[in-house]
Amino acid sequence: MDTAKRIKVLIADDESIVRKGLRSTVAWEKFGMEVIADAPNGQKAWEAFLEHRPEIVITDIVMPEMDGIELSRKIKEMAAKTKIILLSCHRDFEYAQQGIQLGASGYLLKTAFEDEELEDMLKKFQQELSVYAPPSLKDEERMETLLFAWLNGHSCKFPEELEKLHGGQSHVNGQPLLIYLIRTAECGASWTELLQEAEKNDRSMREGTIIPYGEEYYYWIVPDTLRGSADSLLVESKSKCSQLKWTRKESLVHSDDLKQAFQNLHKEAELEKLYGISVNHWPDPIWKAVNLLYANPAADWSASELAEEVGLSRSHFSILFKKAVGDSFIAFQYKRKLRLAYGLLRDTHLTMQEIAERTGLGDSKYFSKWFKRCTGQTPSHYRSQQKDEGSRTD
């Protein structure tokens, strides 16, 4: 099998001997596979996943910085078809069950598994993955990998490759570009599939470029001359699937415009995912304000300071903010900081002082009082409770 078409494998384990052993003792070529990277902890494994987008991940459960369960959860959220094998010790059995519930394909006892067990899994994966890797998607998947890495701060290759697609220009035959970010969750088809159907009646749609982002988002780049056709196609598709959503950035002429449009669309999607609010119809000053809050979680903005920053009076800002977002500025800040605190307590090993600093709540003593006043429990009790619930089996 050609190297470019091999199934990519990532190994994550904090024991060097385990990583080296799996690399050298498994006949990866036999299954059309290759190990493209190995990592000594969960955080490094996540960064390697974003860069290489492997189809198979073999990960230890207990690792520093990010454990195998959290790594599996993040991977499955981003790429549900990825096959995951958990490596565990007897004492990790409950965590292994949790991993299976998240979608891991199986687990092996590090101290006792037979070669045949792993090979049977790899053979099964080889058969299943061949269904999901059509050669025609090779370039699309490569751009998706580069886009993930760039938007998450792990690589700067994507803008370079994007410029190559358009000959170093952000236009087609002198026409500016548009970028749509399309969400197809619950539509039963990808945007690629919907567009292929549309191309039967409108061949001009082939001028567009599709770059997937995860399981349900698609960036769609089209020349400005196709704005009418693109909008009509989206409206028609939405009539068949009411869950279809999209946002658009337009009049993109320079490469910097294109890069900024990608970043802004990504931030808008993250805001909607994090806060459950749509930014489609926000006034520009409110979008700028929420973006500042989102980009600087430790900053303790007052309504007056933020209003001045976006060019509004305090009273106008407060009225406009409530109308657009649905919460007053104070209520929004309260919910934002509490949501951030929940996540840091649940998903990290940061100290109370570090969490206080990251949430803009000063020192650990004040943070503890604030958190208890908001939730009725201390942050340490909440963290302990989350760990207990995470390790409990049904």
Side-chain angles (χ1 to χ4, degrees):
M1 181 178 289
D2 190 281
T3 301
K5 297 179 181 178
R6 286 180 181 166
I7 296 168
K8 294 174 287 186
V9 180
L10 168 65
I11 298 170
D13 197 296
D14 58 344
E15 296 182 57
S16 175
I17 191 171
V18 174
R19 301 197 306 274
K20 290 179 180 178
L22 285 171
R23 267 186 176 273
S24 60
T25 61
V26 177
W28 300 105
E29 296 83 0
K30 173 183 174 183
F31 304 101
M33 301 174 183
E34 65 171 333
V35 178
I36 46 82
D38 62 63
N41 60 61
Q43 183 59 40
K44 292 289 186 183
W46 175 237
E47 293 171 4
F49 179 83
L50 289 175
E51 180 178 355
H52 299 288
R53 292 300 297 277
E55 292 87 356
I56 298 172
V57 176
I58 302 175
T59 177
D60 190 12
I61 290 179
V62 179
M63 294 186 293
E65 296 194 36
M66 182 192 299
D67 64 30
I69 299 301
E70 176 64 9
L71 175 64
S72 298
R73 183 185 67 77
K74 290 168 76 73
I75 288 172
K76 280 295 183 178
E77 284 182 354
M78 188 165 288
K81 293 186 178 74
T82 305
K83 307 295 183 182
I84 299 175
I85 298 176
L86 298 171
L87 300 177
S88 70
C89 300
H90 288 286
R91 60 187 172 83
D92 301 329
F93 179 70
E94 291 183 352
Y95 291 104
Q97 286 186 312
Q98 186 181 352
I100 298 298
Q101 291 172 359
L102 286 171
S105 300
Y107 69 92
L108 298 170
L109 293 175
K110 292 170 68 173
T111 55
F113 80 84
E114 300 289 337
D115 291 346
E116 290 77 7
E117 288 183 82
L118 177 57
E119 291 191 357
D120 286 344
M121 287 185 185
L122 298 180
K123 185 176 181 180
K124 181 182 178 184
F125 293 165
Q126 182 184 26
Q127 295 170 346
E128 292 175 347
L129 288 168
S130 64
V131 177
Y132 299 113
S136 61
L137 295 180
K138 179 182 172 184
D139 291 337
E140 189 176 282
E141 290 175 348
R142 179 170 176 272
M143 290 302 291
E144 178 185 13
T145 298
L146 293 174
L147 178 59
F148 268 118
W150 178 60
L151 288 175
N152 288 278
H154 301 301
S155 170
C156 59
K157 294 180 181 178
F158 175 75
E160 299 172 9
E161 292 300 313
L162 192 62
E163 286 194 19
K164 290 179 183 177
L165 279 178
H166 299 288
Q169 302 294 328
S170 292
H171 53 75
V172 175
N173 297 326
Q175 289 294 325
L177 296 179
L178 314 173
I179 300 183
Y180 296 84
L181 179 56
I182 303 167
R183 186 171 183 242
T184 60
E186 302 177 33
C187 286
S190 69
W191 182 243
T192 303
E193 293 167 333
L194 293 172
L195 194 56
Q196 286 173 345
E197 183 66 25
E199 284 176 354
K200 296 176 182 178
N201 300 318
D202 188 351
R203 295 173 66 88
S204 67
M205 289 290 98
R206 295 181 182 181
E207 289 189 39
T209 300
I210 297 176
I211 304 175
Y213 190 86
E215 293 296 311
E216 56 187 45
Y217 285 96
Y218 297 83
Y219 287 90
W220 186 31
I221 309 172
V222 299
D224 189 72
T225 50
L226 296 182
R227 178 198 300 258
S229 297
D231 287 344
S232 296
L233 175 59
L234 285 161
V235 171
E236 180 183 346
S237 299
K238 189 172 180 65
S239 69
K240 300 174 184 176
C241 174
S242 61
Q243 299 300 317
L244 187 72
K245 297 180 181 179
W246 66 88
T247 52
R248 181 183 70 200
K249 301 298 180 186
E250 55 193 60
S251 302
L252 309 174
V253 178
H254 304 291
S255 58
D256 285 345
D257 297 335
L258 201 58
K259 288 188 289 186
Q260 190 63 53
F262 269 99
Q263 292 170 334
N264 287 343
L265 287 169
H266 174 66
K267 287 179 181 178
E268 291 174 11
E270 288 294 298
L271 281 169
E272 186 167 357
K273 188 186 300 181
L274 284 169
Y275 302 121
I277 48 181
S278 174
V279 300
N280 288 6
H281 304 294
W282 284 1
D284 190 55
I286 300 305
W287 155 243
K288 289 180 180 177
V290 175
N291 186 44
L292 282 170
L293 294 172
Y294 174 72
N296 304 280
D300 190 21
W301 296 91
S302 69
S304 298
E305 290 169 337
L306 205 53
E308 183 179 354
E309 188 71 23
V310 300
L312 297 175
S313 69
R314 185 189 183 286
S315 58
H316 188 196
F317 171 77
S318 297
I319 294 170
L320 205 59
F321 192 96
K322 176 70 183 299
K323 184 178 179 180
V325 177
D327 280 321
S328 68
F329 175 74
I330 293 174
F332 182 84
Q333 279 282 69
Y334 164 87
K335 291 179 180 179
R336 181 182 68 89
K337 288 178 181 290
L338 187 59
R339 188 179 289 107
L340 179 59
Y342 275 139
L344 293 173
L345 288 167
R346 183 183 61 244
D347 300 330
T348 76
H349 298 290
L350 294 174
T351 66
M352 295 303 164
Q353 179 60 36
E354 290 171 327
I355 293 176
E357 292 171 358
R358 293 198 183 194
T359 52
L361 290 166
D363 57 37
S364 58
K365 187 176 181 180
Y366 178 77
F367 168 70
S368 295
K369 288 182 178 179
W370 175 86
F371 189 87
K372 186 174 183 180
R373 186 172 68 248
C374 293
T375 67
Q377 59 183 326
T378 64
S380 57
H381 181 264
Y382 172 79
R383 172 174 273 176
S384 176
Q385 186 183 56
Q386 291 302 303
K387 288 182 179 178
D388 289 343
E389 289 180 2
S391 62
R392 191 179 303 132
T393 57
D394 294 335

